[in-house]
Amino acid sequence: MGGVMEEEVVRGFLRRFLEEFPAPLGSEDPLPLNPLSRKVSLDELRGESLDLGLRLLNTRDAPSTLNAAMCHAALAELLKADLSPFHLPQEAEQQQGEEQEVVLLQSEPVQRLFLNKLREVGVAWHQNLPSPLPVGPSRFLMCSAHAIRNTRRKMEDRHVTLPDFNTLTGLKDGVERGYYAVFDGHGGVDAAIYAATHLHVTLSQQEGLQSDPATAFKTAFTRTDDMLRGKAKRERLRSGSTGVAVLLQGEWLHVAWLGDSQSMLVRRGQDITLMDPHKPDREDEKQRVEALGGCIVFMGCWRVNGTYAVSRAIGDFDQKPYVSGDADCSSTRLHGDEDYILLACDGFFDVVRPAEVPALVLGVLREQGESQGAVEGAGCEEVSEGVLGERVAQELVAHAKAAGSSDNITVMVVFLRPPAQLLLRDQSNTAVATEGPAQE
């Protein structure tokens, strides 16, 4: 997992990419994918461009590190360009309501320029590969993610997987980072999409990311919420989203969250608590809301002012500050014996206790290992880790649905060691339990 990419793999992908896009997009040519917005501010341009580029490249079987490197290079070229031809005139409402002028761009033509920059990067790299080639994560990282709408009318969850956080955002401080997040929207999907698009970009721009990651994470949540407020006002959006985000930074695991989406760590088969989710009936949250003049009432579930069933979220501006946008953060040192991190929305954790997770995951790995011939003594290590671990999230989602969850369900499992090693340890523990203590 990670390391230096092979030149042959890179050249092969670039050749196929340029065969698919042999010429720049013309001014009237349709985009291969729709951008997220019709109008985009300068602050939003980075996140929306990177999102479009990753969506385009991720469907074309390129290594994730190459995707991230190409998108970063294309964005850097875009930001050097004269973007004034894409500026929109200020609307009367904006002129009256904004404290400071917000420059808005026409999204489609500026993203057409971004995709042409992406193609230019492909042409340049195909002719002369960058040296050295982009390097992926040195630690083992494998992510299994799955999400379903379930019985709800709409799917309002979003999740983000960025093992190449530094490559995508251009950080070069020598500290390895990976980023993973789950966002659970309500009242629409706009807030969840916005957070999934912009939080990691905003986090990467925090000067104290290396020295004070907790403050950097909290500031990034606040900044993203403020950016969404401006967009919601301009476009009359009404939605909110809880969120949990994980940053693996060097030997540390940092978790930041708003609301009741959760993350947990499993170390040597034992569940480790990383956070206390924000819920309206949590005593300190109840006191905070009441101190502001609000109330927590029970209407099928506990709700802030009888409206939202969350006490902290991105968005939900009609209930701010009762529904707070202030994130919490925790930090845990990693010792190298951790198995995986799990992130999920309340559609999972409302029906599955954290203490149940290790046995559920191990059960899935056993079943998959046995189906691939990974029986005792037959070499779990020979089973492809990608195949072995990739169905774990899907099976956990299915378990939550069978346990009675009717909500959207998103589960992400970030393995910090090869799943085959977890099976080997399980076999060893089983053998010891079966044989009993050694006789003297």
Side-chain angles (χ1 to χ4, degrees):
M1 295 288 158
V4 180
M5 294 179 293
E6 296 182 6
E7 286 191 14
E8 183 179 345
V9 173
V10 175
R11 290 188 187 279
F13 171 77
L14 292 174
R15 183 179 63 253
R16 295 191 302 273
F17 179 71
L18 294 177
E19 287 172 353
E20 186 175 357
F21 299 98
L25 293 171
S27 60
E28 301 300 322
D29 290 337
L31 300 182
L33 293 171
N34 290 327
L36 293 177
S37 306
R38 291 185 302 106
K39 304 174 184 179
V40 60
S41 71
L42 289 173
D43 285 339
E44 296 165 341
L45 182 59
R46 288 177 173 82
E48 295 222 4
S49 297
L50 292 175
D51 170 83
L52 185 66
L54 288 177
R55 282 192 285 135
L56 182 74
L57 296 178
N58 284 342
T59 58
R60 286 161 172 77
D61 297 326
S64 65
T65 303
L66 179 61
N67 293 351
M70 289 183 65
C71 287
H72 173 71
L75 178 61
E77 293 302 312
L78 176 69
L79 296 177
K80 295 176 185 177
D82 178 13
L83 302 179
S84 60
F86 309 115
H87 287 194
L88 289 165
Q90 271 198 305
E91 299 175 358
E93 285 186 17
Q94 183 183 338
Q95 292 174 345
Q96 296 172 3
E98 295 286 351
E99 295 182 3
Q100 59 183 18
E101 180 179 344
V102 176
V103 175
L104 296 178
L105 310 174
Q106 291 177 288
S107 186
E108 183 171 327
V110 78
Q111 296 299 1
R112 185 177 288 109
L113 176 59
F114 169 74
L115 292 179
N116 283 337
K117 296 295 184 184
L118 188 65
R119 181 187 172 277
E120 289 175 12
V121 170
V123 170
W125 289 9
H126 186 253
Q127 294 172 346
N128 187 19
L129 285 180
S131 181
L133 285 173
V135 179
S138 63
R139 76 161 77 232
F140 182 90
L141 288 175
M142 191 194 86
C143 183
S144 172
H146 191 65
I148 62 170
R149 178 172 58 89
N150 210 356
T151 62
R152 294 296 176 92
R153 189 167 60 90
K154 295 181 179 180
M155 178 56 170
E156 296 177 330
D157 288 359
R158 290 294 185 272
H159 62 275
V160 181
T161 304
L162 290 177
D164 303 288
F165 180 88
N166 285 1
T167 302
L168 182 69
T169 59
L171 290 177
K172 297 180 180 180
D173 58 3
V175 181
E176 195 166 287
R177 295 179 179 89
Y179 171 93
Y180 304 87
V182 169
F183 301 99
D184 180 359
H186 50 265
V189 74
D190 296 309
I193 291 175
Y194 199 90
T197 304
H198 297 290
L199 180 61
H200 56 278
V201 178
T202 306
L203 178 62
S204 72
Q205 297 171 331
Q206 303 305 309
E207 292 184 1
L209 180 57
Q210 181 176 346
S211 61
D212 189 0
T215 298
F217 235 146
K218 293 176 182 179
T219 303
F221 265 95
T222 301
R223 174 62 180 149
T224 303
D225 196 40
D226 289 341
M227 289 167 57
L228 176 59
R229 184 188 295 271
K231 183 180 179 68
K233 187 173 183 179
R234 292 191 300 269
E235 301 183 14
R236 296 178 174 83
L237 303 178
R238 289 174 59 93
S239 66
S241 178
T242 66
V244 58
V246 162
L247 182 71
L248 289 163
Q249 179 167 264
E251 297 178 349
W252 286 86
L253 164 63
H254 306 288
V255 181
W257 70 96
L258 277 175
D260 53 9
S261 294
Q262 297 185 53
S263 176
M264 58 176 287
L265 176 68
V266 173
R267 176 186 290 135
R268 300 191 63 81
Q270 301 298 313
D271 59 294
I272 306 295
T273 299
L274 298 176
M275 52 170 286
D276 186 7
H278 304 123
K279 297 185 178 184
D281 57 336
R282 208 177 88 177
E283 186 57 33
D284 57 342
E285 287 293 275
K286 181 173 181 289
Q287 291 176 5
R288 178 186 61 79
V289 172
E290 291 176 345
L292 290 168
C295 62
I296 305 296
V297 297
F298 189 82
M299 300 175 63
C301 62
W302 293 103
R303 296 179 180 272
V304 174
N305 295 336
T307 57
Y308 299 119
V310 298
S311 59
R312 300 199 190 196
I314 287 175
D316 291 336
F317 299 112
D318 60 318
Q319 286 295 323
K320 290 283 168 70
Y322 311 106
V323 175
S324 173
D326 295 333
D328 275 331
C329 185
S330 72
S331 299
T332 303
R333 182 183 285 275
L334 300 176
H335 302 289
D337 58 350
E338 293 80 15
D339 299 338
Y340 53 85
I341 308 159
L342 183 141
L343 301 85
C345 62
D346 66 334
F348 177 79
F349 279 112
D350 280 351
V351 296
V352 179
R353 292 180 296 107
E356 300 177 67
V357 168
L360 290 172
V361 170
L362 190 55
V364 176
L365 293 178
R366 284 173 182 158
E367 181 181 341
Q368 290 181 272
E370 290 171 0
S371 70
Q372 297 172 56
V375 295
E376 182 177 355
C380 288
E381 68 278 1
E382 297 178 1
V383 179
S384 165
E385 283 91 359
V387 173
L388 178 61
E390 67 182 3
R391 274 182 43 210
V392 167
Q394 182 177 349
E395 295 298 327
L396 292 178
V397 167
H399 177 84
K401 182 177 180 179
S405 178
S406 60
D407 200 355
N408 298 159
I409 307 175
T410 298
V411 173
M412 182 184 299
V413 180
V414 184
F415 287 99
L416 303 179
R417 64 173 63 213
Q421 292 184 10
L422 306 187
L423 277 183
L424 284 171
R425 187 182 66 210
D426 175 56
Q427 289 181 357
S428 177
N429 291 343
T430 301
V432 170
T434 301
E435 297 170 6
Q439 299 294 320
E440 293 186 3

